Amino acid sequence: MREVIVDCALYRHGHRSEQPEDFSAALHQARSLDDAFLWVGLYEPTEDEFGRITRDFGLHPLAVEDSLHAHQRPKLEVYADSLFLVLKPVGYDGEAGSLSTGELMVFVGDSFVLTVRHGEANPLGSVRRRLEEEPEVLRHGPTAVMYAVSDTIVDHYLDVAAALHEDLDELEAAVFAKEARLGAVTAGRIYDFKRRALEFRRATVPLTDPVTRLTGAGLPFVHKDSRLFFRDVADHLSRVNEQVESIDRLLTDILSAYLAQMGVRQNDDMRKISAWAAMFAVPTAIAGVYGMNFDHMPELHWVWGYPATILLMVAICVVLFRIFKRRDWF
């Protein structure tokens, strides 16, 4: 159980007061006190472990099922006893060129907040430390935790988007470099980058609706003073989505330009092949004529016939070469 429970603490008046051993007693204490709430952080719990910890929280079975099986898109669900928010933290390794996503579920009730995370791309350790250093924010209760988690994840989206833009600039420069060798490897790099951008988009775009709902009135368990904070999160998320759209458009343009560049180079290759074929066709035709076994042929017994024929072949090839060169076929 200690491996599942990342951290657990009771907070009063914006300050951490104690780390309880009995979740039922701690939850009862939080509900009996003013300005107090319980924050429990879990990491990939099993169904049995999750049930033992949360049996007194009154969580909805559908939300419990979603939090255990993960693979959810960002969303906000409203239940009778809690709010259920799903977030998808994103991690990006520029050197390896890999983008990883995790999942983070946040339950917010009257006097508790429960976070369940899956995967490694999660920022909860830093969020808890930051909040404990800002008691004026923590006084907003469980909503403050939901805001801080959302804000940290969205701010990290901005960092990931900036890193993707840098790598995209490098990819663009590599594709359009004069010495670039176009082929399956380059196409694979473009499609791989597009897959990363799509995975990033799946984490950011669906979050717009939940954050927008949190900025308005009418949601239970949301502190009225926290709506301004969620507006800040919504603004940052809007910037992220604009960058995601920009990355997607640039990738589409790069791919289209790459395919056009491939077509141009293939046309150049075909013109070169055609020019060389035309140059070889002339001496082949002349040699074929004089290679026929007939006794009565013009210049067949002429002393200068052979060198004259060779000279004619060379002259015609030179003329064709200059014509093709002038037309940039070589």
Side-chain angles (χ1 to χ4, degrees):
M1 291 295 292
R2 287 299 176 184
E3 296 178 357
V4 174
I5 303 172
V6 179
D7 200 354
C8 173
L10 186 66
Y11 294 86
R12 295 190 62 191
H13 306 293
H15 297 278
R16 182 171 181 145
S17 61
E18 58 183 279
Q19 182 168 344
E21 294 292 337
D22 188 337
F23 297 104
S24 299
L27 182 61
H28 178 73
Q29 182 180 4
R31 285 172 171 168
S32 62
L33 297 173
D34 293 333
D35 199 14
F37 69 94
L38 177 68
W39 181 1
V40 182
L42 306 178
Y43 176 69
E44 296 185 352
T46 64
E47 183 175 357
D48 179 64
E49 292 167 339
F50 192 81
R52 290 166 60 188
I53 296 172
T54 63
R55 62 180 180 270
D56 296 322
F57 284 71
L59 305 179
H60 195 279
L62 291 178
V64 171
E65 181 181 357
D66 288 345
S67 65
L68 291 175
H69 296 93
H71 302 295
Q72 305 294 318
R73 69 194 305 269
K75 63 180 181 178
L76 177 66
E77 300 286 352
V78 180
Y79 296 103
D81 298 318
S82 63
L83 286 178
F84 178 59
L85 176 66
V86 179
L87 302 163
K88 293 185 76 69
V90 174
Y92 183 64
D93 186 350
E95 295 182 359
S98 62
L99 187 142
S100 60
T101 59
E103 291 198 26
L104 181 58
M105 290 76 173
V106 183
F107 293 87
V108 170
D110 54 350
S111 299
F112 70 89
V113 56
L114 176 67
T115 55
V116 183
R117 68 182 179 94
H118 297 265
E120 297 300 325
N122 287 281
L124 287 188
S126 60
V127 170
R128 191 182 288 262
R129 288 192 297 271
R130 190 186 97 189
L131 274 178
E132 290 177 354
E133 295 174 357
E134 299 178 357
E136 67 281 359
V137 177
L138 204 55
R139 285 193 181 95
H140 293 162
T143 311
V145 178
M146 180 180 284
Y147 152 71
V149 170
S150 305
D151 182 59
T152 302
I153 290 177
V154 171
D155 284 347
H156 190 60
Y157 286 165
L158 290 169
D159 297 334
V160 172
L164 285 173
H165 263 295
E166 291 180 4
D167 289 353
L168 184 59
D169 290 340
E170 294 179 4
L171 177 61
E172 184 179 16
V175 168
F176 295 106
K178 291 184 178 180
E179 66 278 4
R181 299 181 61 184
L182 303 182
V185 175
T186 304
R189 289 182 61 191
I190 296 175
Y191 277 105
D192 181 65
F193 206 104
K194 200 167 184 65
R195 180 188 57 79
R196 277 180 267 162
L198 179 60
E199 189 174 358
F200 187 39
R201 183 190 183 94
R202 288 172 179 167
T204 63
V205 174
L207 187 58
T208 303
D209 180 65
V211 174
T212 302
R213 292 174 62 190
L214 287 168
T215 62
L219 285 178
F221 312 113
V222 177
H223 196 283
K224 58 182 179 63
D225 294 334
S226 65
R227 293 168 191 161
L228 292 175
F229 293 97
F230 283 112
R231 289 178 189 173
D232 181 66
V233 176
D235 178 64
H236 291 180
L237 184 61
S238 176
R239 290 167 50 194
V240 170
N241 288 329
E242 289 176 359
Q243 294 191 42
V244 171
E245 293 291 339
S246 173
I247 291 172
D248 187 64
R249 287 195 301 268
L250 284 173
L251 278 170
T252 300
D253 293 341
I254 290 174
L255 181 59
S256 299
Y258 165 77
L259 295 176
Q261 195 174 6
M262 284 286 290
V264 170
R265 292 198 180 186
Q266 288 176 352
N267 289 336
D268 289 341
D269 293 339
M270 289 302 298
R271 287 191 303 177
K272 291 178 181 179
I273 293 172
S274 301
W276 283 109
M279 291 175 59
F280 279 108
V282 173
T284 301
I286 296 174
V289 170
Y290 283 96
M292 293 187 293
N293 296 322
F294 292 102
D295 289 334
H296 304 287
M297 290 181 64
E299 296 89 23
L300 190 62
H301 299 288
W302 184 33
V303 176
W304 297 100
Y306 178 75
T309 303
I310 297 297
L311 182 62
L312 177 63
M313 293 180 184
V314 173
I316 294 175
C317 289
V318 170
V319 171
L320 289 174
F321 179 81
R322 296 191 65 178
I323 293 173
F324 292 143
K325 186 72 173 178
R326 189 176 302 165
R327 295 182 180 180
D328 292 327
W329 281 38
F330 284 107

